[in-house]
Amino acid sequence: MRNNSRRGPPLPWGPLSREGARDVTEPYAHGMLDVGDGNQIYWECCGNPNGKPLVVLHGGPGQGCNERMRAGEALQEYRIVLYDQRGCGRSTPHAADPATDMRFNTTAHLVADLDRLREHLGVDRWLLRGGSWGCTLALAYAQRYPHRVSEIVLSAISTTRRREIDWLYSGLARFFPEEYARFAAVAGSAEDVVAAYDQLLRHPDPEVRHAAAAAWARWETTVLSLEPDAEPTSFSGPVDDHLLAMTRICAHYYAHYGWLDDGELITRAGILAEIPGVLVHGHLDLSCPVDTAYELARAWPGAELFVCDRSGHRASPAKREYIRDALTRFARRQ
């Protein structure tokens, strides 16, 4: 068992300011940032206003940030930034509206948004913390702006390669043949299921959109159903605007493989050689097979990889502990 004690020299980032015994999990600042193309993104800050900057990149894509993401980080040691990526959460325009133009919602746009947010908040360099789709965005940002990144902590490693997306929305049919048959039937296309859903989830008929969102969510939930201590996921619940936006954004990004050259985030990982990185993955993760984590760790000089044999895609006690230890170490790093 790793030692989680916080012994060591005083934190170089200063103590919690004397704003009193406020709840550090509650935002002390928030707002909307105009990022162009008619888009505004919601952001908030919590934790220690004098702490080391850390930005949380939510998954999905299109999941948005939520209260749970404020917990589990080193709140007394970091100035934590959360935000909703384009089209989801409290950002506008919302992808649940079929009239929202998704041409202005790509990986390149999200990378530019993130650096614009950094400038808006007056941050010079920050730690990137992401999981699943958040890994892809973190890697894309760090490879574009390595001088703006102090450290990177990633979990549920995904790089949105063609083989990763094809596995998730086709290859996994061998584990869940009946469920996949229902998923594909709604798409009406056996050749390119994801592209078909991309069309359905922006259909002008709300009944078509709702049926497609429900089917996509059911498949995502099925993929995670074999994990230890499986709990409801972001895809669980009624078909509301949150789910409509998330499924639409997922299909939009994955139909285009994130607008990335295939495998580029791994082949270009050498750019990150000067950035300390921690990769945390569950060996039982069906949605993001573990080989991607190993390939990325080999390509990223100095990256530290922890694979838990008893964990899947979602958080687990062992993964949380490893991440907590990494964040504690990095908080003391100048």
Side-chain angles (χ1 to χ4, degrees):
M1 182 68 69
R2 296 175 61 86
N3 186 351
N4 286 321
S5 65
R6 296 178 182 258
R7 299 190 185 108
L11 292 172
W13 309 101
L16 192 64
S17 75
R18 61 165 91 150
E19 295 172 304
R22 64 174 179 81
D23 183 354
V24 293
T25 65
E26 289 299 315
Y28 61 82
H30 64 91
M32 301 291 291
L33 176 65
D34 187 339
V35 291
D37 310 310
N39 282 268
Q40 294 201 5
I41 60 171
Y42 171 83
W43 61 269
E44 62 184 38
C45 295
C46 62
N48 184 349
N50 300 315
K52 182 173 183 174
L54 178 158
V55 61
V56 180
L57 308 179
H58 65 68
Q63 179 182 350
C65 64
N66 56 57
E67 294 178 359
R68 294 189 304 276
M69 294 177 186
R70 300 176 195 153
E73 312 294 356
L75 290 164
Q76 297 286 349
E77 300 169 1
Y78 286 94
R79 173 189 178 190
I80 298 175
V81 179
L82 297 94
Y83 75 106
D84 295 327
Q85 295 159 25
R86 290 194 183 199
C88 68
R90 287 148 288 189
S91 296
T92 61
H94 206 258
D97 182 352
T100 296
D101 192 343
M102 298 295 282
R103 291 178 303 163
F104 304 113
N105 198 331
T106 70
T107 303
H109 287 100
L110 299 190
V111 168
D113 292 352
L114 182 54
D115 204 56
R116 189 169 297 186
L117 178 60
R118 178 194 61 77
E119 291 181 343
H120 176 72
L121 297 176
V123 172
D124 181 49
R125 298 167 73 231
W126 50 8
L127 185 153
L128 306 182
R129 169 77 183 97
S132 196
W133 161 257
C135 297
T136 294
L137 182 55
L139 294 168
Y141 176 85
Q143 290 177 16
R144 174 66 179 85
Y145 298 104
H147 57 296
R148 297 303 184 189
V149 180
S150 57
E151 301 89 11
I152 304 176
V153 177
L154 304 178
S155 57
I157 310 304
S158 171
T159 65
T160 316
R161 288 183 295 178
R162 184 172 295 269
R163 66 192 244 189
E164 295 172 37
I165 302 306
D166 291 349
W167 165 257
L168 181 55
Y169 299 107
S170 178
L172 273 168
R174 68 192 66 181
F175 287 92
F176 308 102
E178 294 181 2
E179 293 85 349
Y180 187 80
R182 289 193 288 270
F183 177 60
V186 173
S189 169
E191 293 186 5
D192 196 336
V193 170
V194 179
Y197 271 95
D198 184 31
Q199 296 283 337
L200 292 172
L201 287 163
R202 51 191 166 95
H203 197 281
D205 186 338
E207 291 188 5
V208 173
R209 296 198 307 276
H210 279 65
W216 184 285
R218 188 163 53 246
W219 174 249
E220 296 277 3
T221 301
T222 297
V223 169
L224 299 178
S225 64
L226 301 183
E227 294 202 353
D229 303 318
E231 297 177 353
T233 71
S234 300
F235 292 94
S236 304
V239 178
D240 55 12
D241 281 353
H242 169 74
L243 187 63
L244 285 167
M246 182 165 57
T247 53
R248 183 184 181 192
I249 294 171
C250 279
H252 172 65
Y253 272 77
Y254 292 155
H256 296 91
Y257 299 99
W259 297 272
L260 298 164
D261 291 338
D262 196 34
E264 71 167 274
L265 297 181
I266 292 179
T267 58
R268 299 180 69 238
I271 295 173
L272 310 177
E274 301 302 316
I275 303 175
V278 170
L279 310 175
V280 177
H281 201 84
H283 199 263
L284 304 180
D285 189 340
L286 271 183
S287 59
C288 298
V290 70
D291 60 338
T292 296
Y294 279 105
E295 290 176 54
L296 178 60
R298 286 195 295 268
W300 182 349
E304 175 184 330
L305 173 64
F306 168 66
V307 176
C308 178
D309 289 339
R310 300 178 303 282
S311 301
H313 185 74
R314 291 174 290 188
S316 71
K319 290 167 67 175
R320 281 192 292 265
E321 180 182 4
Y322 203 93
I323 291 168
R324 185 167 56 246
D325 282 2
L327 292 177
T328 300
R329 283 188 282 127
F330 288 153
R332 303 180 187 280
R333 181 177 178 272
Q334 294 282 6

